[in-house]
């Protein structure tokens, strides 16, 4: 086994899974804005069948690139599936705040109530992403977007 580089040893890296099934969760079909489909955020996509995407094989690239982190990271418990927890963790390519620089970031988005961001299991998930440390971590709700961790900082 190779030794872990000293600068990474202190970080806890989430373990990626093969991909969990969404089950009955289709919150991404409601929460996300999909401009190419003229679908605003907060409105259920017309292609949602109630159990998945009716155009999955031909879905837009923006949908294909989007990643629900609950599906990808084993360290996130079953109770944090978005439809159960009210929080959707995702890897996004744009910062959720207009005055922040664009780039890959982790976003924890309250989909029902901003108080869902403060529950113990959700707080531990945010702490896990902060400990990993490589990407900015954001909390987003109807109250706005808050940067929890800036990610790795590189000298200009």
């Amino acid at each position: 086994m190779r030794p872990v580089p000293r600068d990474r040893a202190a970080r806890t890296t989430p373990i990626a899974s093969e991909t969990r099934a969404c089950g009955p969760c289709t919150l991404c079909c409601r929460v996300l804005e999909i401009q190419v489909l003229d679908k605003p955020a907060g409105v259920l996509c017309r292609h949602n069948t109630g159990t998945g995407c009716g155009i999955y094989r031909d879905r837009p690239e923006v949908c294909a690139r989007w990643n629900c982190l609950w599906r990808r990271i084993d360290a996130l418990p079953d109770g944090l599936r978005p439809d159960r927890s009210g929080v959707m963790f995702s890897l996004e390519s744009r910062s959720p705040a207009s005055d922040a620089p664009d780039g890959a970031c982790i976003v924890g988005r309250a989909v029902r109530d901003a108080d869902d961001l403060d529950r113990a299991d959700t707080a531990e998930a945010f702490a896990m992403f902060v400990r990993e440390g490589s990407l900015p971590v954001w909390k987003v709700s109807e109250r706005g977007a808050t940067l929890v961790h800036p990610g790795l900082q590189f000298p200009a």
Side-chain angles (χ1 to χ4, degrees), residues 23 25-26 29 47-56:
C25 182
T26 59
C29 298
H47 299 292
N48 181 289
T49 66
T51 58
C53 179
I55 60 167
Y56 186 81

Side-chain angles (χ1 to χ4, degrees), residues 33-47:
E33 175 185 20
I34 309 297
Q35 291 178 353
V36 69
L37 296 176
D38 295 323
K39 190 206 108 31
V43 174
L44 186 63
C45 180
R46 68 184 178 274
H47 299 292

Side-chain angles (χ1 to χ4, degrees), residues 96-144:
S98 60
D99 60 344
D102 283 345
C105 59
I106 306 276
V107 176
R109 187 180 314 280
V111 294
R112 291 190 296 250
D113 187 300
D115 291 337
D116 288 333
L117 295 171
D118 299 324
R119 285 192 340 268
D121 57 349
T122 307
E124 177 50 37
F126 277 109
M128 175 187 68
F129 291 121
V130 168
R131 283 190 303 270
E132 194 283 328
S134 62
L135 293 174
V137 179
W138 290 86
K139 282 186 180 182
V140 176
S141 71
E142 73 275 355
R143 297 178 193 155

